[in-house]
Amino acid sequence: MVAPRVAAARVPLAASRVHTIAMKQIYIPKAGPPEVLELRETKDPEPAAGQLRIRVEATGINFADIMGRLGIYPDLPKMPVVPGYEVAGRVDAVGQGADQRWVGKDVLAMTRFGGYADVVCVPEIQVFERPTAMSAQDGAALPVNYITAFQLTVVMGSLRKGDTVLVHSAGGGVGIAATQIAKHIGARVIGTASKSKHEYLRANGVDDLIDYRTEDFEKRVLEITAGAGVELILDAVGGESFKKGYRVLAPTGRLGMFGMSSAATDKKRNVASLLKTVAGMPWLQFNPPALLNANKGVFGVNVGHMWDQSARIAGWMRELITLYAQGVLRPHVDRVFPFEDAAAAHHYIQDRKNLGKVLLAP
Ligand SMILES: NC(=O)c1ccc[n+]([C@@H]2O[C@H](COP(=O)([O-])OP(=O)(O)OC[C@H]3O[C@@H](n4cnc5c(N)ncnc54)[C@H](OP(=O)(O)O)[C@@H]3O)[C@@H](O)[C@H]2O)c1
């Protein structure tokens, strides 16, 4: 759902909880540090034809929202904009043509922006009933992280039992999701993460850990694998990291590229970091003869460009919900910030403190 650009009343953050009738949304009014985030109230939306209206109990924060706030995320609609790709809550109304039986159901949903809100209206195909055991928090933590991880490991990465996968940012939402899927497949996981997260990650399935802030991951991966390299890499750090990763791929190895968090070094847009990341990309290394002769593959993932593939995404989501119900997958919800503290939530992620998912709650 693209957030409607209607004039909205500005509300002092502290006073916002008093209001219960109007919809609350968190806007990025302009690029800048976390403090630019602004809570506004506006009229409750009515579901359009084919849409369901959800009273939101939890909203997922994704790194893309941070990049959007910094002004370095090209997909973000023009500001002011309400970011947010995923929510969980309860359906309270349906638009014309949508199935009435949704009313009262506990759901999770994917939103095309607009998810930082306590009410959203989304097309029926983007909404999924939550199993009874799934809390709203787990529901909001599932869609983006697990769909991304599934596309990277299963759909495009073809990860197989006995393979070794290198997961960058293993302590982030996608990293934890990818580790759970990889362990379910029977793969060995090498993860990079800040040192403070290693103990948790080791206890939760990562076989070998690299503190990328003090160690060279290329050297360490070759040591850990006795020079063999890895069959799959999940890399959203970008820049030089893609080059180094390509070098540690085993024959038939695949490098899955899905972000460039190395461009987000500061709380404000830093053009020098952005240029360094872009300049560090392996523009020349991935040419057809090189790939062919090395028996290596590279691929890209951007779930935000899969909206025209709703039916496929819905199928993956249903598989993931089944795996959740079987106890195979469990998002790790690290912290839940109230809407009023959205800026603190963005700081928390940019300070690299999060271990798994960070959520907002109205
Ligand atoms: N293409 C897609 O479809 C797609 C979908 C989802 C996410 N992504 C990308 O995947 C990456 C991870 O997303 P996520 O939602 O899992 O992240 P997250 O949960 O917000 O975790 C962020 C973690 O990334 C690590 N990190 C590495 N470089 C960083 C930097 N420059 N600034 C801040 N943190 C940095 C930090 O942990 P450590 O220091 O412990 O490593 C941090 O805690 C992001 O780049 C995101 O844009 C792409």
Side-chain angles (χ1 to χ4, degrees):
M1 185 194 84
V2 178
R5 298 234 183 78
V6 292
R10 295 180 185 202
V11 181
L13 291 188
S16 60
R17 279 206 172 275
V18 179
H19 210 298
T20 50
I21 301 164
M23 160 163 80
K24 291 197 284 187
Q25 294 175 303
I26 299 167
Y27 273 82
I28 305 176
K30 59 177 185 212
E35 286 66 31
V36 297
L37 294 173
E38 199 172 274
L39 193 62
R40 300 183 188 178
E41 290 189 358
T42 189
K43 199 169 155 286
D44 246 8
E46 290 299 324
Q51 288 187 335
L52 311 182
R53 186 171 69 191
I54 301 168
R55 296 286 161 189
V56 174
E57 290 160 53
T59 284
I61 301 184
N62 287 287
F63 208 81
D65 311 338
I66 310 266
M67 307 275 275
R69 197 208 72 233
L70 289 169
I72 55 173
Y73 194 66
D75 291 348
L76 191 76
K78 201 164 163 283
M79 297 176 195
V81 63
V82 179
Y85 287 111
E86 55 195 351
V87 298
R90 183 168 293 175
V91 176
D92 80 332
V94 303
Q96 204 185 8
D99 192 335
Q100 277 289 338
R101 285 173 295 185
W102 279 105
V103 175
K105 287 201 191 300
D106 289 329
V107 296
L108 59 84
M110 290 182 266
T111 53
R112 192 173 189 179
F113 306 103
Y116 282 29
D118 66 354
V119 192
V120 298
C121 294
V122 281
E124 204 171 357
I125 194 161
Q126 290 163 218
V127 183
F128 304 85
E129 189 169 357
R130 301 199 314 265
T132 9
M134 189 189 286
S135 65
Q137 291 188 5
D138 276 5
L142 211 68
V144 175
N145 288 166
Y146 282 80
I147 288 284
T148 307
F150 188 80
Q151 188 175 336
L152 284 160
T153 51
V154 176
V155 181
M156 297 179 79
S158 304
L159 190 66
R160 292 162 69 91
K161 187 174 179 192
D163 283 352
T164 301
V165 54
L166 170 64
V167 179
H168 284 288
S169 306
V174 177
I176 287 180
T179 298
Q180 290 174 2
I181 295 171
K183 294 315 288 182
H184 181 59
I185 289 169
R188 174 187 185 189
V189 178
I190 303 176
T192 73
S194 293
K195 185 80 182 162
S196 60
K197 304 175 189 176
H198 286 201
E199 198 180 323
Y200 170 88
L201 294 174
R202 195 167 281 116
N204 283 276
V206 181
D207 298 284
D208 297 278
L209 277 146
I210 300 170
D211 177 5
Y212 71 102
R213 292 161 87 170
T214 58
E215 299 176 294
D216 175 26
F217 83 80
E218 183 179 356
K219 185 163 164 272
R220 287 288 294 123
V221 165
L222 291 175
E223 279 168 12
I224 291 164
T225 60
V230 299
E231 281 77 29
L232 181 64
I233 299 178
L234 313 189
D235 190 338
V237 176
E240 291 277 342
S241 186
F242 291 158
K243 274 188 194 159
K244 289 159 71 103
Y246 184 75
R247 293 199 288 260
V248 298
L249 284 178
T252 75
R254 288 87 57 204
L255 169 62
M257 303 174 291
F258 67 112
M260 42 184 232
S261 48
S262 56
T265 47
D266 290 299
K267 299 282 170 75
K268 285 201 260 187
R269 177 165 51 183
N270 181 327
V271 178
S273 295
L274 184 59
L275 290 176
K276 186 167 178 258
T277 299
V278 172
M281 300 267 186
W283 297 106
L284 301 175
Q285 282 85 346
F286 302 168
N287 59 70
L291 288 169
L292 187 157
N293 289 324
N295 287 293
K296 292 182 182 182
V298 292
F299 64 92
V301 165
N302 187 343
V303 172
H305 288 194
M306 293 284 284
W307 291 102
D308 60 344
Q309 301 284 314
S310 303
R312 287 181 78 202
I313 296 276
W316 302 347
M317 196 68 241
R318 279 190 283 272
E319 271 188 63
L320 291 164
I321 291 174
T322 302
L323 288 170
Y324 177 96
Q326 291 168 352
V328 173
L329 305 179
R330 228 12 126 229
H332 180 78
V333 176
D334 179 353
R335 280 191 65 177
V336 185
F337 289 83
F339 271 22
E340 291 78 0
D341 296 338
H346 275 214
H347 274 293
Y348 188 68
I349 293 172
Q350 280 202 273
D351 291 338
R352 308 180 194 219
K353 289 183 181 157
N354 67 302
L355 184 42
K357 195 71 183 175
V358 181
L359 301 174
L360 293 168

